[in-house]
């Protein structure tokens, strides 16, 4: 399972990167988990931003790293917006 998560994360899949971060956190590799969450947040993964927010509140992530991730996340989300996507009804 971890092999496939790593392969998907390397390929740029943000959800796989976030899941890999959960795996690292569970195995007490907190620095690696935070790095994975930062990368996933930069790719637009909302769950990663929420996890980074919790880490920031507990002092695991610096203010600068959290702010940079938040800006990159917003830029990634904005890059996916288009009039065509906005016009599609939500299910």
């Amino acid at each position: 399972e971890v092999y496939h998560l790593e392969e998907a994360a390397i390929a740029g899949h943000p959800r796989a990167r976030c899941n890999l971060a959960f795996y690292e956190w569970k195995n007490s590799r907190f620095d690696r988990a935070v790095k994975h969450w930062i990368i996933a947040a930069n790719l637009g993964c909302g769950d990663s931003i929420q996890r980074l927010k919790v880490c920031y509140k507990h002092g695991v992530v610096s203010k600068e790293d959290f702010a940079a991730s938040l800006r990159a996340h917003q830029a990634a989300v904005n890059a996916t917006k288009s009039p065509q996507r906005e016009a599609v009804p939500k299910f």
Side-chain angles (χ1 to χ4, degrees):
E1 177 183 323
V2 175
Y3 170 78
H4 296 292
L5 282 177
E6 289 173 344
E7 289 296 314
I10 289 169
H13 194 280
R15 189 69 213 168
R17 181 75 68 171
C18 184
N19 289 340
L20 191 56
F22 282 117
Y23 173 80
E24 297 290 0
W25 189 270
K26 182 178 147 189
N27 290 306
S28 301
R29 292 188 286 254
F30 306 118
D31 289 342
R32 288 179 61 125
V34 166
K35 288 178 185 179
H36 285 302
W37 278 321
I38 288 172
I39 293 168
N42 292 347
L43 295 172
C45 180
D47 290 339
S48 296
I49 280 293
Q50 296 304 317
R51 287 319 241 159
L52 286 172
K53 187 186 306 183
V54 171
C55 289
Y56 171 67
K57 287 180 183 177
H58 292 292
V60 179
V61 176
S62 70
K63 183 177 183 177
E64 294 80 20
D65 288 341
F66 181 65
S69 293
L70 198 55
R71 285 190 300 274
H73 175 266
Q74 191 60 47
V77 169
N78 288 342
T80 63
K81 290 184 180 179
S82 70
Q84 293 86 2
R85 287 185 185 219
E86 299 296 325
V88 175
K90 304 280 189 233
F91 289 100

